[in-house]
């Protein structure tokens, strides 16, 4: 359809991204300064979210390149041939470029979530290609095959495994895409991006990679190699690997048929996973160093704007003295926490220097500012970083409301209950810096209207209040244009007629007969105390409380402490309700568990269809606790939280760890069906033959995560969390999974054979 001018502007606005909009604003401001600003006038940007986004994206892009190099190095270390290394390496740009096409199709942007997915995809998309190349090498080593013949032969053996791996790893992310709420936003873009990359890599492994193997590879097995320091290193590496492979084969042969050991290991990892999870602090979205921090100031009740301004000036002076601070902006008369106006409120935005130009973190600067401003006694001052997700509250940490459900309307009692509860919270080791902006002690004047007298004087109370609003508070009337500018016309009494409360009694309002009637004839003024801003939450009078988890504690620990104290300390008729990001953390608490269970069901059903058995897939499912324990353990060791990034890594691990099990089980089934091997012999053969590709793919993936684990600067906490969880899960899942998977296969393959034989006997 055709758009008019305004609609076209809306279309352009909707198609823009955040970085582009902010960049255009900066260009326009620079243009305005040059063309229209008076001499000596300058401007500062108080809050610029693009700095954090651009820095975070820069860090992830750097991580992307580092991961690519590390993955290529690990592949070269195992394959020991430049041609063989090029083939799986080519799979990375092919898969990523293909993913970009589908991201554009789905309307996704290049943001932190999709870039995270692409970084992790680097270590995953090479897996299928590595499996193919390694299988071709193994086939050429076994017999005098040409690269083309070896490729055709090996594809017949591993194509089923590649299809299974691709289906399982992509299916893991399908349920995640249907999550709702803030978690859904995080998971959806990440999961669909990962699934697309994995499917494309699977297609590559069955089409492009075999073609490249036939064209590029050469059969050098059995030929003498020129002795160089590199070949000597590879010979030593291969010798140690062969020793390790032999020991591994003997270990599997010893353990796989001993059910007590297999089940004992399984029970150990399940119990260890539950225990480690109970020790691991929980969170929602981690608070990152965004290069900005806020200051919230509340001066005593009834303080003048000048008094608040002097406090803000003192804070600005102290902030400017810090080397890490780039600029500060303050505003008196406005509350950052409640978005309300008042003479006793003040707010400040403190911009920090770029991450590479300062050593201090936001927490360090907050501690320094708190120490420097503690001598300001006539104001309550709080410093805190912005919320992790803009729009979910005004600060980091937790947020909730104390509600008065007594129906009494006693605001002073609500203030006392709120402050007493804050005192109790600050006494706990899990919580610190708890405060509220609710204050019911502001001096106010209450106007009481005598409706009977007003009626006798033919005065409309509605007209009288509107007139008073115009005289005392101002009223918008119209606009006029002069000197090329548009100005508003505001109606208001002169200051001398509204300087004192008693002046209201001297004002007049016109009655229905057109006569001027003094307000003193039908109103009285009483001095009272109450809040400057009254807020309601779910229709109840409420007081908002903000705070931070103490050092070493997570938001989950703070939430549990608040719940427990509320049961013990809040008097009858008073309760609490969560708000902001804390509310979403509470609501989405169990959602990840359900999605995790659905992902397992998806994997189980796909493998059941692939293996035509409901028993064999259990060997894959029950191998997962080894990796989940590793993820939890490494997170706990590095002092990180089980938050939304860790949960993303957990879901991804289902597919990655399932891949290792599938490689072993697929080959074991092949050996059992075609060579009439026993389940034990098939399991040993499968484990031994797939040991090298499992180590190659796993360590290539872990190598791609090293830059994330070592991340610093913008977005470091998210990078470290997702990298640590994925690397820990993959490391433990590989080292212990290759031991437990053959034993699980023997158990369930034997059960399947027994079930099938009984079924045939009954049919006979």
């Amino acid at each position: 359809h055709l758009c008019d001018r305004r609609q076209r502007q809306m279309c352009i606005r909707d198609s823009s991204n955040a970085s582009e909009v902010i960049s255009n604003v900066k260009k326009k401001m620079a243009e305005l300064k040059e063309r229209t600003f008076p001499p000596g006038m300058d401007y500062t940007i108080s809050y610029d979210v693009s700095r954090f986004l651009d820095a975070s994206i820069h860090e992830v892009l750097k991580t992307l390149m580092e991961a690519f190099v590390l993955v290529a190095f690990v592949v070269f270390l195992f394959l020991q041939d430049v041609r063989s290394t090029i083939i799986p390496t080519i799979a990375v740009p092919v898969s990523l470029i293909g993913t970009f096409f589908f991201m554009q199709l789905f309307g996704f942007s290049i943001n932190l979530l999709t870039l995270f997915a692409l970084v992790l995809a680097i270590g995953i998309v090479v897996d299928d290609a590595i499996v193919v190349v390694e299988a071709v090498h193994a086939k050429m080593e076994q017999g005098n095959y040409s690269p083309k013949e070896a490729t055709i032969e090996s594809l017949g053996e591993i194509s089923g495994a590649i299809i299974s791996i691709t289906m399982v790893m992509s299916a893991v992310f399908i349920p995640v895409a249907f999550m709702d709420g803030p978690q859904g936003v995080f998971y959806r873009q990440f999961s669909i991006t990962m699934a697309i990359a994995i499917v494309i890599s699977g297609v590559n492994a069955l089409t492009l990679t075999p073609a490249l193997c036939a064209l590029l590879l050469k059969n050098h097995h059995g030929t003498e190699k020129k002795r160089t320091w590199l070949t000597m290193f590879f010979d030593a590496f291969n010798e140690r690997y062969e020793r390790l492979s032999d020991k591994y084969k003997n270990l599997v042969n010893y353990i796989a048929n001993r059910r007590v050991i297999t089940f004992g290991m399984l029970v150990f990892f399940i119990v260890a996973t539950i225990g480690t999870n109970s020790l691991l602090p929980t969170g929602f979205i981690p608070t990152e160093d965004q290069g900005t921090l806020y200051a919230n100031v509340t001066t005593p009740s009834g303080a003048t704007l000048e008094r608040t301004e002097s406090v803000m000036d003192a804070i600005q002076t102290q902030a400017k003295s810090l080397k890490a601070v780039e600029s500060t902006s303050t505003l008196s008369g406005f509350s950052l926490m409640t978005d309300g106006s008042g003479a006793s409120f003040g707010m400040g935005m403190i911009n920090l220097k770029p991450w590479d130009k300062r050593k201090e973190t936001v927490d360090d600067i907050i501690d320094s500012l708190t120490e420097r401003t503690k001598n300001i006694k006539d104001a309550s001052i709080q410093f805190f970083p912005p919320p992790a997700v803009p729009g979910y509250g005004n600060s980091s940490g937790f947020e909730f409301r104390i509600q008065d459900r007594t129906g009494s309307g006693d605001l002073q009692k609500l203030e006392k209950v709120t402050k007493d509860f804050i005192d109790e919270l600050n006494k706990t080791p899990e919580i610190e810096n708890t405060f509220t902006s609710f204050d019911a002690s502001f001096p106010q004047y209450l106007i009481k209207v005598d409706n009977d007298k007003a009626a006798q004087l033919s005065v409309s109370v509605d007209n009288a209040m509107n007139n008073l609003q115009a005289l005392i508070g101002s009223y918008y009337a119209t606009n006029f244009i002069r000197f090329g500018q548009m100005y508003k016309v505001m109606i208001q009494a002169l200051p001398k007629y509204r300087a004192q409360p008693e002046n209201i009694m001297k004002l007049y309002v016109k009655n229905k007969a057109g006569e001027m009637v003094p307000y003193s004839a039908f109103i009285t003024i009483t001095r009272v105390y109450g809040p400057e801003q009254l807020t309601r939450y779910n229709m109840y009078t409420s007081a908002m409380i903000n705070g931070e988890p103490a050092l070493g504690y997570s938001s989950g620990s703070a939430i549990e402490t608040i719940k427990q104290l509320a049961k013990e300390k809040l008097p009858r008729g008073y309760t609490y309700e969560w708000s902001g990001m804390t509310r979403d953390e509470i609501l989405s608490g169990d959602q990840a568990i359900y999605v995790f269970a659905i992902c397992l069901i998806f994997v189980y059903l796909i493998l059941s269809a692939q293996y035509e058995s409901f028993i064999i897939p259990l060997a894959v499912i029950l191998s997962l606790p080894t990796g989940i324990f590793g993820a939890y353990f490494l997170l706990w060791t590095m002092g990180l939280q089980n938050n939304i990034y860790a949960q993303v890594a957990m879901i991804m691990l289902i597919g990655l760890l399932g891949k290792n099990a599938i490689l072993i089980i697929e080959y074991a089934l092949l050996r059992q069906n075609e060579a009439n091997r026993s389940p034990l012999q098939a399991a040993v053969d499968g484990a031994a033959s797939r040991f090298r590709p499992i180590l190659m793919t796993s360590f290539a993936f872990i190598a791609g995560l090293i830059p994330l684990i070592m991340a610093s600067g913008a977005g470091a906490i998210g990078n470290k969390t997702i990298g640590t969880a994925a690397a820990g899960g993959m490391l433990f899942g590989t080292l212990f999974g290759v031991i437990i998977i053959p034993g699980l296969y023997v158990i369930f393959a034997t059960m399947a054979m027994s079930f099938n034989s009984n079924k045939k006997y009954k049919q006979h």
Side-chain angles (χ1 to χ4, degrees):
H1 67 280
L2 296 175
C3 295
D4 62 16
R5 183 178 178 185
R6 180 177 298 177
Q7 288 174 326
R8 286 198 299 271
Q9 290 172 345
M10 290 295 290
C11 293
I12 293 169
R13 195 177 301 122
D14 290 341
S15 64
S16 301
N17 59 54
S19 296
E20 182 182 351
V21 170
I22 295 170
S23 176
N24 289 338
V25 169
K26 289 179 178 177
K27 290 178 182 177
K28 192 65 178 178
M29 288 303 300
E31 179 184 331
L32 290 173
K33 179 184 176 182
E34 183 179 349
R35 293 185 179 181
T36 62
F37 277 24
M41 183 177 176
D42 202 352
Y43 69 94
T44 59
I45 298 175
S46 300
Y47 181 63
D48 182 5
V49 70
S50 69
R51 291 181 60 182
F52 175 69
L53 290 176
D54 293 343
S56 300
I57 290 173
H58 172 74
E59 290 294 325
V60 176
L61 288 173
K62 187 176 74 172
T63 301
L64 199 67
M65 296 304 299
E66 292 170 349
F68 181 78
V69 172
L70 287 170
V71 168
F73 171 76
V74 172
V75 173
F76 179 69
L77 180 65
F78 276 91
L79 297 180
Q80 301 168 8
D81 177 39
V82 175
R83 291 172 179 261
S84 302
T85 304
I86 291 173
I87 295 171
T89 306
I90 288 175
V92 175
V94 171
S95 298
L96 296 187
I97 291 170
T99 305
F100 288 144
F101 170 78
F102 285 98
M103 285 170 60
Q104 179 73 17
L105 205 62
F106 281 100
F108 292 169
S109 62
I110 297 295
N111 53 47
L112 285 178
L113 301 176
T114 52
L115 283 173
F116 267 141
L118 294 175
V119 171
L120 296 172
I122 286 178
I124 296 175
V125 298
V126 297
D127 284 5
D128 293 338
I130 288 173
V131 171
V132 173
V133 174
E134 196 279 335
V136 173
H137 270 281
K139 189 63 67 175
M140 288 191 297
E141 190 175 3
Q142 291 171 6
N144 189 22
Y145 289 99
S146 68
K148 182 178 179 181
E149 292 171 339
T151 301
I152 295 172
E153 287 287 329
S154 59
L155 268 183
E157 296 179 0
I158 64 172
S159 58
I162 290 174
I163 293 171
S164 297
I165 291 169
T166 303
M167 292 177 65
V168 166
M169 292 185 68
S170 57
V172 161
F173 296 103
I174 293 175
V176 178
F178 292 95
M179 292 182 69
D180 56 9
Q183 277 186 313
V185 176
F186 271 75
Y187 284 129
R188 195 172 300 116
Q189 295 195 38
F190 179 90
S191 61
I192 293 177
T193 303
M194 286 288 292
I196 292 169
I198 290 167
V199 170
I200 293 175
S201 72
V203 174
N204 283 342
L206 297 176
T207 55
L208 177 63
T209 302
L212 291 174
C213 287
L215 291 172
L216 298 180
L217 292 184
K218 292 184 178 181
N219 192 347
H220 294 296
H221 298 285
T223 61
E224 281 291 329
K225 296 181 181 179
K226 186 178 179 181
R227 299 292 292 175
T228 63
W229 67 269
L230 190 59
T231 56
M232 292 173 62
F233 171 79
F234 284 148
D235 289 342
F237 177 83
N238 292 334
E239 183 182 349
R240 285 178 173 79
Y241 171 77
E242 291 300 332
R243 290 180 192 169
L244 177 65
S245 181
D246 292 339
K247 291 179 181 179
Y248 169 66
K249 188 174 182 178
N250 294 333
L251 180 65
V252 170
N253 194 33
Y254 177 79
I255 290 178
N257 206 31
R258 287 170 169 77
R259 300 190 176 190
V260 175
I261 297 177
T262 300
F263 278 119
M265 291 178 64
L266 182 61
V267 170
F268 168 79
F269 280 110
I270 291 174
V271 172
T273 300
I274 296 171
T276 310
N277 185 38
S278 64
L279 296 174
L280 190 64
T282 58
F284 187 43
I285 302 173
T287 301
E288 298 277 8
D289 181 348
Q290 299 184 43
T292 303
L293 62 93
Y294 294 156
N296 183 68
V297 173
T298 306
T299 52
S301 304
T304 61
L305 191 63
E306 289 75 11
R307 185 174 178 182
T308 305
E309 284 179 347
S310 66
V311 174
M312 300 308 303
D313 290 342
I315 293 173
Q316 190 169 16
T317 301
Q318 294 297 333
K320 284 183 176 180
S321 64
L322 296 176
K323 293 182 179 179
V325 173
E326 186 174 73
S327 64
T328 59
S329 301
T330 61
L331 177 63
S332 301
F334 183 81
S335 172
L336 184 66
M337 304 307 301
T338 64
D339 295 329
S341 301
S344 60
F345 298 139
M347 60 162 287
M349 288 185 173
I350 302 171
N351 289 322
L352 308 180
K353 291 181 180 178
W355 292 262
D356 56 346
K357 294 182 179 179
R358 59 180 167 90
K359 297 179 181 179
E360 302 88 344
T361 64
V362 163
D363 292 333
D364 296 334
I365 296 166
I366 288 175
D367 293 340
S368 179
L369 284 173
T370 302
E371 179 67 25
R372 287 168 175 256
T373 57
K374 67 180 182 181
N375 61 321
I376 304 175
K377 302 297 184 183
D378 57 345
S380 173
I381 305 171
Q382 295 87 30
F383 298 99
F384 46 84
V389 179
Y392 283 90
N394 292 325
S395 67
S396 59
F398 57 81
E399 179 183 313
F400 66 100
R401 317 284 180 115
I402 298 293
Q403 289 183 325
D404 178 6
R405 298 191 179 184
T406 61
S408 64
D410 190 342
L411 299 175
Q412 279 70 30
K413 179 68 181 298
L414 175 60
E415 179 188 11
K416 183 178 184 305
V417 169
T418 302
K419 290 186 175 179
D420 289 346
F421 191 61
I422 287 174
D423 291 339
E424 294 294 335
L425 290 176
N426 285 328
K427 291 177 183 176
T428 63
E430 297 87 358
I431 294 173
E432 64 182 8
N433 298 332
T434 310
F435 64 94
T436 181
S437 56
F438 185 81
D439 187 352
S441 60
F442 283 89
Q444 300 171 345
Y445 286 90
L446 177 65
I447 297 177
K448 293 184 179 179
V449 179
D450 190 326
N451 290 295
D452 293 337
K453 288 185 178 179
Q456 292 173 5
L457 296 169
S458 300
V459 174
S460 167
V461 176
D462 186 44
N463 288 339
M465 294 300 105
N466 288 335
N467 182 61
L468 195 61
Q469 166 66 37
L471 295 172
I472 303 298
S474 78
Y475 182 80
Y476 168 72
T478 184
N479 297 328
F480 73 93
I481 298 175
R482 192 157 188 185
F483 309 118
Q485 297 287 335
M486 187 177 71
Y487 298 90
K488 288 183 177 180
V489 177
M490 307 295 293
I491 299 172
Q492 191 177 33
L494 291 173
K496 65 180 180 179
Y497 297 113
R498 52 185 172 87
Q500 300 296 328
E502 294 79 13
N503 292 148
I504 295 176
M505 308 300 285
K506 301 175 183 178
L507 298 175
Y508 288 80
V509 63
K510 187 179 292 185
N511 67 4
K512 295 177 181 179
E515 300 170 342
M516 303 302 291
V517 179
Y519 278 92
S520 59
F522 59 91
I523 69 169
T524 56
I525 298 178
T526 308
R527 185 183 177 96
V528 295
Y529 294 91
E532 191 157 6
Q533 183 183 20
L534 184 62
T535 59
R536 287 182 172 82
Y537 195 71
N538 293 338
M539 302 300 292
Y540 292 101
T541 304
S542 66
M544 185 170 69
I545 295 178
N546 296 85
E548 297 274 353
L551 186 64
Y553 293 91
S554 65
S555 59
S557 304
I559 288 170
E560 291 302 319
T561 302
I562 294 168
K563 287 180 179 179
Q564 185 64 34
L565 276 179
K567 289 181 182 179
E568 300 173 0
K569 303 297 181 181
L570 285 182
R572 185 179 182 85
Y574 291 87
T575 185
Y576 69 97
E577 287 287 346
W578 303 105
S579 60
M581 192 178 294
T582 311
R583 181 174 182 273
D584 286 284
E585 181 175 355
I586 300 293
L587 293 177
S588 61
D590 296 332
Q591 193 176 19
I593 298 174
Y594 297 136
V595 171
F596 195 82
I598 294 172
C599 290
L600 290 177
I601 294 172
F602 264 59
V603 171
Y604 175 74
L605 293 176
I606 288 173
L607 292 176
S608 297
Q610 177 77 13
Y611 299 145
E612 297 181 355
S613 169
F614 287 108
I615 298 176
I616 298 297
L618 293 175
V620 178
I621 301 299
L622 291 178
S623 67
L624 298 178
T626 56
I628 303 301
F629 164 73
Y632 284 156
F633 178 76
L634 207 59
L635 284 171
W636 177 69
T637 303
M638 295 190 66
L640 298 170
Q641 298 179 3
N642 180 12
N643 53 36
I644 195 168
Y645 291 109
Q647 292 161 13
V648 166
M650 299 295 174
I651 292 171
M652 183 178 59
L653 283 172
I654 296 177
L656 289 170
L657 297 174
K659 174 212 67 179
N660 292 346
I662 290 169
L663 283 174
I664 294 175
I665 292 170
E666 186 78 22
Y667 191 83
L669 282 172
L670 188 68
R671 297 289 293 170
Q672 186 176 336
N673 294 332
E674 294 183 358
N676 292 322
R677 311 276 284 178
S678 68
L680 175 61
Q681 293 170 329
V684 174
D685 289 347
S689 63
R690 291 295 175 253
F691 186 54
R692 189 181 184 95
I694 285 174
L695 291 183
M696 287 173 62
T697 55
S698 299
F699 287 124
F701 177 73
I702 293 171
L705 296 173
I706 291 174
L708 288 175
I709 299 173
M710 306 298 292
S712 60
I717 298 176
N719 291 344
K720 286 182 177 180
T721 302
I722 199 168
T724 301
M730 203 63 193
L731 181 63
F732 279 71
T734 300
L735 296 179
F736 296 101
V738 293
I739 298 173
I740 197 173
I741 290 168
L744 291 172
Y745 173 78
V746 171
I747 293 169
F748 292 110
T750 305
M751 290 174 59
M753 290 176 61
S754 175
F755 177 78
N756 290 332
S757 62
N758 290 336
K759 185 177 179 181
K760 290 178 182 177
Y761 175 76
K762 288 179 181 179
Q763 288 175 347
H764 178 71

